[in-house]
Amino acid sequence: MAATGAASTDVENREWYVASYAPTGVPNSEHIKLRTVSLSLRADSIPDGHVTFQVLYVSIDPYVRTQLSGLDDGLSLPQIPLGQVIRAFGIGKVIQSKDAKFSEGDIVLSRICPVSEFGVMPSNLLQKITPAIGIALPDYLSCLGMPGITAWVGIEKIGNAKAGLNVYISAAAGGVGIIAGQLAKVKGCRVVGSVGSDDKVKLLKEECGYDDAFNYRVETDYDAALTKYFPNGIDVYFDNVGGKMLEAVLNHVNHGARIALCGMISEYNKVWTEREGVRNLLNMVGKEVMMKGFMVGSYYNHFEEFIKEMEVYLKEGKINSKHKIYNGIGSFLESLASLFSSSNVGKVILQVTP
Amino acid sequence: MAATGAASTDVENREWYVASYAPTGVPNSEHIKLRTVSLSLRADSIPDGHVTFQVLYVSIDPYVRTQLSGLDDGLSLPQIPLGQVIRAFGIGKVIQSKDAKFSEGDIVLSRICPVSEFGVMPSNLLQKITPAIGIALPDYLSCLGMPGITAWVGIEKIGNAKAGLNVYISAAAGGVGIIAGQLAKVKGCRVVGSVGSDDKVKLLKEECGYDDAFNYRVETDYDAALTKYFPNGIDVYFDNVGGKMLEAVLNHVNHGARIALCGMISEYNKVWTEREGVRNLLNMVGKEVMMKGFMVGSYYNHFEEFIKEMEVYLKEGKINSKHKIYNGIGSFLESLASLFSSSNVGKVILQVTP
């Protein structure tokens, strides 16, 4: 096994770093680059309380793009310093450990895993995973991971989605949206999603239990589309895109509607003054609408409650996990750019080690 | 006394009605007109369960303008049908009553009082007022009335304003804003308001206890103004204006800030597609901001709780009531238009009967 063999030697470790910031547009190979660094995995070169691991999977999420703009943005996440390795949620397998709580072969999760082939990290930044029977490792980066709890917070904690309510999800085939809609279905809601391709419409309706779905690239008059798909108005909106879609939704909200603002993928590649203005916020007054932005990190104290609920849904097959896997460390840039092209279905994951 | 004399006869009753809608701009004499109608106040011409009264005071509030556009707007209030009399919050003195619960001379309040000199209404739409010692009748249309509870809902129920927080009030010398800021001061907050004249700045600072205030017509770079007046950011924003001011605020909110959307006076005279778009809603995500629109009518079940609290503040002089009184039924149009011209200080009230 390669990982074990590596434990007694140095490795050539490939890692992605920030070469220059991308204030607008989709980051490309001028902005983030792959380099090879020599990393010693010899036992005597690892500090106490540290663990070395081989990276298995990295989660590819839109927030990472917002850390590459070199600007203050609405997510208030720190920018990754120039020259430094990019970090993301990731899963690894322990090669060796200088902490008694971790052993060779353990599977570990980190929220700031380097996007690289190998990592050395303080053990207190790692969490051990014991995969439940019937649950695949990538699920711990999707349904049971950050996208899963993000969907859960928006649908349950902010949206307060209840049986019979009309729920709308934008970017509904994305890593978060695909879970959010299925969660709302479990709660007994009527759920409609918008997506960027006809294939995704089909997927949501046929495999994810959505009541309906539409392609926003075909039905470009959002107002007309929402009139058609929500004859009884919208009670809960899980917003992943912002801009013109959020504005259209505000023309279709019911009294007392809740809007969970999760992130706005339509807006990440623009500076804020160039973003789409929402002109009808006055509708929030007459309809007494509540809108709340959230960062999932503020809800990690609910993680156990979330996992308990979600594991049941997964095991009972009530929630269907969908992954788009990119293979090899070299595919990171392509996988990140794919988030902005509507080319994926489900959670985007980079499989670093085959 | 004129009112009593009127009880046995017919009166020439002057009333304001809607001649044509004003979709944009400030309504003028083409849109709302004064007419004289003959009204019988003879006992035998009044139905059982009805009360006739002479109108003493009418409350002049921005929402009335939104009922004159002939359009659906974001407040979702019904338009007043063409040809019909305009109605508003008002106080009257009973001339005669066909309901045992009301007697001649009683002071009554109605939320749909006709903007006229006399009225005949079903008694179940009237509420008897027994003015407390030291509290003037107009206070029941301001601090103790709809503007008062509106301010209270925004500051307490939505804003959750607590000691030490930084509170910002726009249209801060208006009927609602002037009470909202004083309420926040009572709670121990640091309060800054924006207004449309230097005289109002002076008033807020010298007579209403505001920590600071600025003239948005002079300090037109709202972003720079908020940087200056909120070096520690904004925790609670009571929004009366919307548009560019709301956008500027979203660049200065603290983590977890609350925004109470009360109404948007900067936007009422425009159709929604011409309204100012707010481009930086993404800031609500990173800062986990909650924004909630409200219509005070949904909170009338809290009226007693509110009155109990507010009467104490008024009697203790902790809240200073400010009225701008227009005299005579003929002044209604002028008083309504004044809401959009920054010409008033405090609550605008029309005194119908001298």
Side-chain angles (χ1 to χ4, degrees):
Chain A
M1 178 179 163
T4 311
S8 58
T9 180
D10 291 356
V11 291
E12 295 296 291
N13 182 31
R14 287 186 292 168
E15 65 179 20
W16 287 90
Y17 71 101
V18 186
S20 67
Y21 290 123
T24 62
V26 177
N28 61 38
S29 59
E30 294 298 307
H31 308 108
I32 64 175
K33 295 178 187 283
L34 190 63
R35 68 185 169 202
T36 302
V37 291
S38 184
L39 185 67
S40 171
L41 300 181
R42 286 192 305 268
D44 59 3
S45 67
I46 300 162
D48 283 344
H50 279 59
V51 169
T52 61
F53 55 91
Q54 185 170 30
V55 179
L56 302 179
Y57 297 98
V58 171
S59 179
I60 308 298
D61 299 291
Y63 79 87
V64 172
R65 187 272 170 269
T66 73
Q67 298 187 285
L68 301 170
S69 71
L71 305 169
D72 265 349
D73 84 328
L75 293 188
S76 307
L77 290 170
Q79 297 300 303
I80 302 169
L82 291 178
Q84 285 202 13
V85 66
I86 298 167
R87 289 175 183 271
F89 282 71
I91 288 176
K93 182 185 270 189
V94 174
I95 295 173
Q96 62 172 301
S97 167
K98 288 267 184 90
D99 178 330
K101 293 193 293 292
F102 293 89
S103 309
E104 186 186 328
D106 279 354
I107 302 297
V108 290
L109 172 76
S110 173
R111 292 171 191 166
I112 49 169
C113 178
V115 180
S116 59
E117 294 174 295
F118 296 93
V120 182
M121 282 181 69
S123 56
N124 61 2
L125 298 176
L126 299 173
Q127 181 188 334
K128 204 188 295 189
I129 292 179
T130 310
I133 291 167
I135 296 183
L137 264 191
D139 283 335
Y140 289 88
L141 292 180
S142 59
C143 295
L144 295 171
M146 191 269 283
I149 188 170
T150 302
W152 181 82
V153 167
I155 291 295
E156 295 214 359
K157 297 289 174 192
I158 296 173
N160 195 19
K162 302 268 185 224
L165 295 186
N166 293 286
V167 175
Y168 176 48
I169 320 268
S170 56
V176 171
I178 206 163
I179 306 171
Q182 294 184 79
L183 259 176
K185 282 308 298 176
V186 172
K187 307 283 166 198
C189 302
R190 178 175 172 274
V191 181
V192 178
S194 58
V195 289
S197 77
D198 290 343
D199 282 350
K200 290 182 184 178
V201 168
K202 199 165 171 245
L203 172 95
L204 290 185
K205 289 163 74 170
E206 295 180 2
E207 297 182 47
C208 299
Y210 274 64
D211 295 283
D212 219 329
F214 67 96
N215 181 345
Y216 72 89
R217 292 168 188 252
V218 173
E219 302 195 49
T220 53
D221 180 342
Y222 300 163
D223 202 61
L226 294 175
T227 300
K228 177 172 151 194
Y229 292 101
F230 288 98
N232 299 316
I234 296 169
D235 300 297
V236 177
Y237 174 42
F238 193 111
D239 182 32
N240 290 305
V241 305
K244 285 294 166 220
M245 188 60 87
L246 176 56
E247 184 176 87
V249 167
L250 285 171
N251 287 334
H252 295 269
V253 279
N254 288 331
H255 188 262
R258 280 87 62 192
I259 298 177
L261 300 178
C262 173
M264 301 184 175
I265 203 161
S266 74
E267 309 299 312
Y268 288 162
N269 295 326
K270 307 170 196 163
V271 296
W272 80 267
T273 48
E274 299 302 319
R275 289 179 182 153
E276 294 282 4
V278 173
R279 294 166 296 177
N280 56 356
L281 290 171
L282 184 56
N283 292 356
M284 290 182 65
V285 180
K287 297 285 179 64
E288 304 197 276
V289 173
M290 193 276 284
M291 188 187 281
K292 182 159 183 6
F294 70 104
M295 296 291 280
V296 71
S298 299
Y299 294 83
Y300 282 143
N301 57 327
H302 293 281
F303 208 85
E304 281 186 33
E305 179 189 356
F306 152 72
I307 283 281
K308 218 165 148 180
E309 188 178 327
M310 184 62 88
E311 276 190 341
V312 173
Y313 299 151
L314 273 181
K315 285 180 182 168
E316 291 178 351
K318 287 183 176 164
I319 288 190
N320 196 343
S321 75
K322 291 283 169 196
H323 303 140
K324 164 72 182 177
I325 308 275
Y326 286 77
N327 284 303
I329 189 72
S331 302
F332 173 68
L333 176 58
E334 183 194 353
S335 69
L336 184 66
S338 76
L339 297 174
F340 301 95
S341 69
S342 272
S343 59
N344 303 304
V345 158
K347 181 72 193 81
V348 177
I349 288 175
L350 182 69
Q351 183 164 15
V352 176
T353 304
Chain B
M1 176 176 162
T4 312
S8 58
T9 181
D10 291 356
V11 292
E12 296 295 293
N13 183 31
R14 287 186 293 170
E15 63 179 23
W16 286 91
Y17 72 101
V18 185
S20 67
Y21 289 123
T24 62
V26 178
N28 60 39
S29 59
E30 294 299 306
H31 307 109
I32 65 174
K33 293 176 188 284
L34 190 62
R35 68 187 169 201
T36 302
V37 292
S38 183
L39 184 68
S40 171
L41 299 181
R42 285 191 307 267
D44 59 5
S45 68
I46 299 162
D48 284 345
H50 279 60
V51 169
T52 61
F53 55 90
Q54 186 170 28
V55 179
L56 303 179
Y57 297 98
V58 171
S59 179
I60 308 299
D61 299 291
Y63 79 87
V64 172
R65 188 270 170 269
T66 73
Q67 298 187 284
L68 301 171
S69 70
L71 305 170
D72 266 350
D73 84 329
L75 293 188
S76 306
L77 291 170
Q79 296 301 302
I80 302 169
L82 290 178
Q84 284 200 15
V85 66
I86 297 167
R87 289 175 182 272
F89 283 71
I91 288 176
K93 182 186 269 187
V94 174
I95 295 172
Q96 60 173 302
S97 166
K98 288 267 184 91
D99 177 330
K101 293 193 293 293
F102 293 89
S103 310
E104 186 187 327
D106 279 355
I107 302 298
V108 289
L109 172 76
S110 174
R111 291 171 190 166
I112 51 168
C113 177
V115 180
S116 59
E117 292 174 297
F118 297 93
V120 182
M121 282 180 69
S123 56
N124 61 4
L125 297 177
L126 298 172
Q127 180 189 334
K128 202 187 295 188
I129 291 179
T130 309
I133 291 167
I135 295 183
L137 265 190
D139 282 336
Y140 289 88
L141 293 181
S142 59
C143 293
L144 296 170
M146 190 270 284
I149 188 171
T150 302
W152 181 81
V153 167
I155 291 295
E156 294 215 359
K157 296 290 174 188
I158 296 173
N160 195 21
K162 302 268 185 226
L165 294 186
N166 293 286
V167 176
Y168 176 48
I169 321 267
S170 56
V176 170
I178 206 164
I179 305 170
Q182 294 183 79
L183 260 176
K185 281 308 298 177
V186 172
K187 306 285 166 196
C189 302
R190 178 175 172 272
V191 181
V192 177
S194 58
V195 290
S197 77
D198 290 343
D199 281 351
K200 291 182 183 178
V201 168
K202 196 165 174 245
L203 173 94
L204 291 184
K205 290 164 71 171
E206 294 181 1
E207 296 182 46
C208 298
Y210 274 65
D211 293 283
D212 219 328
F214 67 95
N215 181 346
Y216 72 89
R217 291 167 189 253
V218 173
E219 302 194 47
T220 53
D221 180 343
Y222 299 163
D223 202 61
L226 294 175
T227 300
K228 174 171 154 193
Y229 293 101
F230 287 98
N232 299 316
I234 296 169
D235 300 297
V236 177
Y237 174 42
F238 193 109
D239 182 33
N240 290 305
V241 306
K244 286 293 165 219
M245 188 60 88
L246 177 55
E247 184 176 89
V249 168
L250 285 171
N251 287 334
H252 294 268
V253 279
N254 288 331
H255 188 261
R258 281 87 62 191
I259 297 179
L261 299 179
C262 174
M264 300 185 176
I265 205 159
S266 75
E267 309 299 312
Y268 287 161
N269 295 326
K270 306 172 196 162
V271 296
W272 79 265
T273 48
E274 299 302 320
R275 289 179 182 153
E276 294 281 5
V278 173
R279 296 166 293 177
N280 54 355
L281 290 170
L282 183 56
N283 292 357
M284 290 182 66
V285 180
K287 296 285 179 66
E288 304 197 276
V289 173
M290 193 277 285
M291 188 187 281
K292 182 161 184 2
F294 71 104
M295 296 291 281
V296 70
S298 299
Y299 293 83
Y300 282 143
N301 58 326
H302 293 282
F303 208 86
E304 282 186 33
E305 179 189 354
F306 152 73
I307 283 281
K308 217 166 148 180
E309 187 178 329
M310 184 62 88
E311 276 189 343
V312 173
Y313 299 152
L314 273 181
K315 286 179 181 168
E316 291 179 351
K318 287 183 176 164
I319 289 191
N320 195 344
S321 74
K322 290 283 169 195
H323 302 140
K324 163 72 182 180
I325 308 274
Y326 285 77
N327 283 302
I329 189 72
S331 302
F332 173 67
L333 175 59
E334 183 194 352
S335 69
L336 184 65
S338 77
L339 296 175
F340 301 95
S341 68
S342 272
S343 59
N344 303 302
V345 159
K347 180 72 192 80
V348 177
I349 287 175
L350 182 68
Q351 182 164 16
V352 177
T353 304

